[in-house]
Amino acid sequence: MTPSPALPIARITLQILVVLNWVFGAAILTLLIATVVAERWTFAALGITPSSGIPAMIVGLRAIAALGVVAVPLNNIVLTRLRAIVATVSRGDPFVAANAIRLRAIAWVLLALQLLSIVIAAIGKAISSPANPVHLDAGFSTSGWLAVLLAFILAQVFADGTAMRDDLAGTV
């Protein structure tokens, strides 16, 4: 079977995404720490004044940032498991038990990320005001929930495919 030209692209893309995930996580964590340790300086640097109404929102914004930091290792689990799956596909041996386990882990993490997104959206809605609206790309996502279902289904397909291959190898 001829290897797909998409596999090297997927491998490189996943590696870049792993690095970017940690970089963005570090940036969010740095900003979160700055708003706690050097609140006045950070607010001044961001142009936030007491009369802007934003200081009243800061607890909610910090909670959203903290949840963003929580999402970083979860995203890393998805990305590294995908990278491992791509490696087995590149070797021509995707139907291994490890890939079923990886896909199941991805499914659970995607579920957690969907729930996290709903919590982030709820916080954003709670702190939003007409004077300072909070617009977040978070909340219920039909495609996100479909991805969760797809990952659980694919995990089972890989588990069944692995068992069928093992059975076939045992009968030969």
Side-chain angles (χ1 to χ4, degrees):
M1 188 186 269
T2 307
S4 170
L7 291 175
I9 294 169
R11 188 174 29 256
I12 292 167
T13 301
L14 288 167
Q15 187 57 43
I16 291 168
L17 290 173
V18 165
V19 171
L20 287 175
N21 178 54
W22 287 113
V23 168
F24 288 137
I28 293 168
L29 182 60
T30 300
L31 185 58
L32 178 61
I33 291 170
T35 66
V36 173
V37 174
E39 184 175 293
R40 286 184 191 199
W41 181 88
T42 305
F43 284 2
L46 295 173
I48 298 172
T49 64
S51 62
S52 68
I54 294 175
M57 302 167 61
I58 200 64
V59 172
L61 293 171
R62 284 180 180 148
I64 290 170
L67 292 173
V69 171
V70 168
V72 171
L74 295 174
N75 286 326
N76 190 63
I77 290 169
V78 172
L79 294 169
T80 56
R81 299 311 183 277
L82 279 174
R83 195 173 55 195
I85 291 169
V86 168
T88 63
V89 173
S90 296
R91 289 191 300 266
D93 193 22
F95 287 103
V96 293
N99 280 348
I101 293 166
R102 289 177 184 122
L103 280 165
R104 193 163 289 116
I106 289 170
W108 282 111
V109 170
L110 289 175
L111 176 65
L113 288 168
Q114 287 303 305
L115 295 172
L116 199 62
S117 183
I118 290 170
V119 171
I120 289 170
I123 294 169
K125 184 175 173 123
I127 65 172
S128 188
S129 68
N132 292 305
V134 176
H135 302 288
L136 299 170
D137 186 20
F140 180 83
S141 166
T142 303
S143 58
W145 285 99
L146 288 173
V148 171
L149 290 174
L150 177 64
F152 276 116
I153 292 167
L154 281 176
Q156 192 59 51
V157 167
F158 269 69
D160 292 349
T162 300
M164 288 169 54
R165 189 181 77 173
D166 291 346
D167 286 347
L168 183 60
T171 59
V172 174

